[in-house]
Amino acid sequence: MTRALLVDLGKVLVGFDHQVTCDRLAEVTGIPAGRLRPVLFGELEAAFDRGHLSPTAFFRACEEQAGLPRLSDEAWMSAWRDIFHPLPDAIAALGHVRRGIRRVLVSNTNELHWEGVLRVFEPRGLLDALVLSFRVGATKPDPAFWDAAIAAAGCAPGDCLYADDRPELVAAAAARGIPGFVVSNSVAFAAALGTRGLLESPGP
């Protein structure tokens, strides 16, 4: 029996576009977006997502690796943070999860991306716990991340259900004993919850 729903964030509850970041920085630096992307969304981002770098340290490290001129933190912040939009169907479904099922957000994200998410999505009333990689110091599929997620769920791994858009992470959770499903779009997320009997019955 499902006692906790573990829900990924990106492309499940909110959409995002990393190309926006690349294009904005390319516009202010003159360096092609294709050259920027592997630097911005590689090992440095992974360290940022684990909370190992502050925003300022992340900006300076990216500038050094990509050969960028020194940019203002304000230019970095808007380019990095403001890339999100809500997925209303999925958010509505989350709000109709049956009472008694604990709802836990489990996301690989960093401090600034989380700020951007909060501009388009209000977790209060929809989620019972937040497991965010930059706060727990680990990212999916690190064992420490699953430890934090299971602790937040407050139940055995087999009593959780995990929803993520990335099949490899659903597989990693399954290897830890957490069943789950792949989310192809926000409508599919709602449908999957419904077929599993996790949504409240509609009123008369």
Coordinates of all heavy atoms in Angstrom, one line a residue, residues 7-8 14 65 70 97 130 145 171 179-180 198:
V7 N 7.9 12.8 -5.4 CA 7.7 13.5 -6.7 C 8.9 14.3 -7.1 O 9.4 15.2 -6.3 CB 6.5 14.4 -6.6 CG1 6.1 14.9 -8.0 CG2 5.3 13.7 -6.0
D8 N 9.4 14.1 -8.2 CA 10.5 14.9 -8.8 C 9.9 16.3 -9.2 O 8.6 16.4 -9.2 CB 11.0 14.2 -10.1 CG 12.1 15.0 -10.7 OD1 13.0 15.5 -10.0 OD2 12.1 15.1 -12.0
V14 N 7.1 21.4 -12.7 CA 7.5 22.7 -13.4 C 8.3 22.3 -14.6 O 9.1 21.4 -14.6 CB 8.2 23.6 -12.5 CG1 7.4 24.0 -11.2 CG2 9.6 23.1 -12.1
Q65 N 36.2 28.5 -16.4 CA 36.3 27.3 -17.3 C 35.9 27.7 -18.7 O 36.4 27.1 -19.7 CB 35.4 26.2 -16.7 CG 36.0 25.4 -15.7 CD 35.3 24.0 -15.6 OE1 34.6 23.6 -16.5 NE2 35.6 23.3 -14.5
R70 N 34.4 38.7 -16.6 CA 33.7 38.8 -15.4 C 32.4 39.5 -15.6 O 32.3 40.6 -16.1 CB 34.6 39.6 -14.4 CG 33.9 39.9 -13.0 CD 33.8 38.6 -12.2 NE 33.2 38.9 -10.9 CZ 34.0 39.1 -9.8 NH1 35.3 39.1 -9.9 NH2 33.4 39.4 -8.6
V97 N -4.2 14.4 -4.2 CA -3.7 13.1 -3.7 C -4.5 12.8 -2.4 O -4.8 13.7 -1.6 CB -2.2 13.2 -3.4 CG1 -1.7 12.0 -2.6 CG2 -1.4 13.3 -4.7
L130 N 10.3 18.5 1.8 CA 11.1 18.9 0.7 C 12.5 18.2 0.9 O 13.1 18.4 1.9 CB 11.3 20.4 0.6 CG 10.1 21.3 0.6 CD1 10.5 22.7 0.6 CD2 9.3 21.0 -0.7
F145 N 21.1 10.4 -0.9 CA 19.9 11.1 -1.3 C 18.7 10.2 -1.0 O 17.7 10.7 -0.5 CB 19.9 11.5 -2.8 CG 18.7 12.4 -3.2 CD1 18.9 13.8 -3.2 CD2 17.5 11.9 -3.5 CE1 17.8 14.6 -3.5 CE2 16.4 12.7 -3.8 CZ 16.5 14.0 -3.8
A171 N 14.7 3.8 -12.3 CA 15.4 2.5 -12.2 C 16.3 2.5 -11.0 O 16.4 1.5 -10.2 CB 16.2 2.2 -13.5
P179 N 9.3 1.5 -5.6 CA 8.7 1.4 -6.9 C 8.4 2.8 -7.4 O 8.3 3.8 -6.7 CB 7.4 0.7 -6.5 CG 7.1 0.9 -5.1 CD 8.5 1.1 -4.5
G180 N 8.2 2.9 -8.8 CA 7.9 4.2 -9.4 C 7.5 4.1 -10.8 O 7.2 3.0 -11.3
L198 N -4.7 6.8 -6.2 CA -4.1 7.7 -5.2 C -4.8 9.1 -5.2 O -4.4 9.9 -4.4 CB -2.6 7.9 -5.6 CG -1.7 6.7 -5.5 CD1 -0.3 7.0 -5.8 CD2 -1.9 5.9 -4.2

